[in-house]
Amino acid sequence: MDSKQVQAIAPARWEARRWWAGIGAAEVMLLLVAAVWGGSYAVAKQATQQLPVMEFIALRFGLTFVVLLPALRPLFNARWRQGLAVGGLLGANLLAIFVCETFGVSLTTASNAAFLISLCVALTPFVEWWLLGQRPAQRIFWAAGLSAVGAAMLSATSPANIAVGWGDALMVLAAFLRAVMVCMTRRLAGHHTMPALTLTAVQSGVMALGAMAISLLASNGAWHMPPATASFWWGMAYLVLLCTVFALFAQNHAASRSSPSRASLLMGSEPVFGALIAVYGFGETVGVWGWAGGLLIVAAAWWVTMPQKLEARPRIP
């Protein structure tokens, strides 16, 4: 191979290495979270048809807390109060997110829910600027807008199909709270020494107790036994083990190792996975308009993982 061929091949190899440089374990975990959460809407919608929303949330996160009891050991040290304070604050925020999401998905369509929750992608750069005082790079704003447009296309077969109702409004609020959650996790990462799994256990306990208290107050002490159907408990297992234990651990682990805007953009690919699961798992159909929107979301998610500044290419002697 002569020197001209080497000079022609080397830039391509350099670009490939630069392209992969922004992809790490944190980004892969966030994409897995998006895939798992993509299938949660249909499962949660079916479960809330068999059990009241607040009781469903209390059961889901109560089981999660029981599963994660062994992870609480690091909490018993001299800084346990600080750990509980951080976990309690993040748990309260997460409870608000899941209350809005669960009520929202029960009052709107799964496609609208997937689109509207993905607005956290567009909202996060502004929340990051507001809470952390860090103005994101210009391309983050462009990628956020691209992702939001793609999610809108994915959720509707035509631009006129998106309708706004109470369920939609709750999903918008949940999207904003998700953006706040990502930024708060980043901001509080240096104020505690808890492992990600321990933080997830504390959050789950706070959410279970909070949802139980709200449910008992709202129903004057009434409580329902969960259904004994296999479909309900298979769905609950999916939501507890994958959508909660794994997903919250992965989010807590990765959010402190990646920028809030990048984290939200990667998890913003959730509607794409949701569409794939709906098509191949539940027999739904997604038109050309929807798939085009899905490609925009994926493009935005991958774009933001690219290194921000081009490095100088090495010279070939």
Side-chain angles (χ1 to χ4, degrees), residues 118-173:
S118 295
L119 285 177
C120 70
V121 174
L123 293 172
T124 298
F126 301 98
V127 175
E128 183 179 9
W129 197 358
W130 167 47
L131 288 180
L132 304 183
Q134 299 173 356
R135 189 183 189 280
Q138 188 66 33
R139 66 169 182 162
I140 296 293
F141 289 93
W142 284 105
L146 185 66
S147 183
V149 170
M153 294 171 65
L154 180 65
S155 69
T157 55
S158 70
N161 270 359
I162 301 176
V164 178
W166 281 109
D168 299 325
L170 286 172
M171 296 306 297
V172 172
L173 180 57

Side-chain angles (χ1 to χ4, degrees), residues 15-274:
E15 285 297 322
R17 288 197 299 269
R18 189 179 64 80
W19 192 81
W20 285 105
I23 307 298
E27 284 74 21
V28 172
M29 291 181 74
L30 291 173
L31 284 174
L32 288 175
V33 170
V36 167
W37 278 349
S40 66
Y41 295 102
V43 176
K45 193 173 184 70
Q46 292 175 352
T48 53
Q49 292 173 351
Q50 304 176 65
L51 196 67
V53 169
M54 296 309 301
E55 295 181 27
F56 161 76
I57 294 175
L59 177 62
R60 173 179 174 178
F61 289 97
L63 291 174
T64 303
F65 179 75
V66 171
V67 170
L68 294 178
L69 277 175
L72 290 175
R73 172 173 286 186
L75 189 63
F76 299 102
N77 56 37
R79 303 182 66 184
W80 65 272
R81 288 187 178 86
Q82 188 178 47
L84 282 179
V86 172
L89 180 61
L90 295 178
N93 191 343
L94 200 57
L95 175 60
I97 293 172
F98 274 89
V99 168
C100 293
E101 280 190 13
T102 309
F103 273 110
V105 77
S106 68
L107 297 173
T108 188
T109 63
S111 60
N112 269 19
F115 158 55
L116 292 168
I117 199 64
S118 295
L119 285 177
C120 70
V121 174
L123 293 172
T124 298
F126 301 98
V127 175
E128 183 179 9
W129 197 358
W130 167 47
L131 288 180
L132 304 183
Q134 299 173 356
R135 189 183 189 280
Q138 188 66 33
R139 66 169 182 162
I140 296 293
F141 289 93
W142 284 105
L146 185 66
S147 183
V149 170
M153 294 171 65
L154 180 65
S155 69
T157 55
S158 70
N161 270 359
I162 301 176
V164 178
W166 281 109
D168 299 325
L170 286 172
M171 296 306 297
V172 172
L173 180 57
F176 171 75
L177 292 174
R178 270 202 190 190
V180 172
M181 181 73 181
V182 174
C183 294
M184 284 178 60
T185 302
R186 176 76 173 183
R187 185 172 186 174
L188 296 174
H191 296 275
H192 67 85
T193 58
M194 287 190 297
L197 206 58
T198 303
L199 180 59
T200 302
V202 174
Q203 287 176 292
S204 299
V206 170
M207 294 175 69
L209 290 174
M212 184 182 299
I214 294 172
S215 178
L216 291 174
L217 287 173
S219 62
N220 294 321
W223 194 265
H224 301 84
M225 289 294 295
T229 60
S231 61
F232 177 86
W233 287 106
W234 276 115
M236 186 62 69
Y238 174 83
L239 292 171
V240 169
L241 297 178
L242 293 179
C243 297
T244 306
V245 174
F246 166 73
L248 292 184
F249 162 73
Q251 186 179 12
N252 287 331
H253 175 81
S256 61
R257 292 163 174 80
S258 183
S259 72
S261 295
R262 173 178 288 193
S264 284
L265 279 163
L266 288 170
M267 290 188 292
S269 59
E270 180 181 325
V272 179
F273 293 108

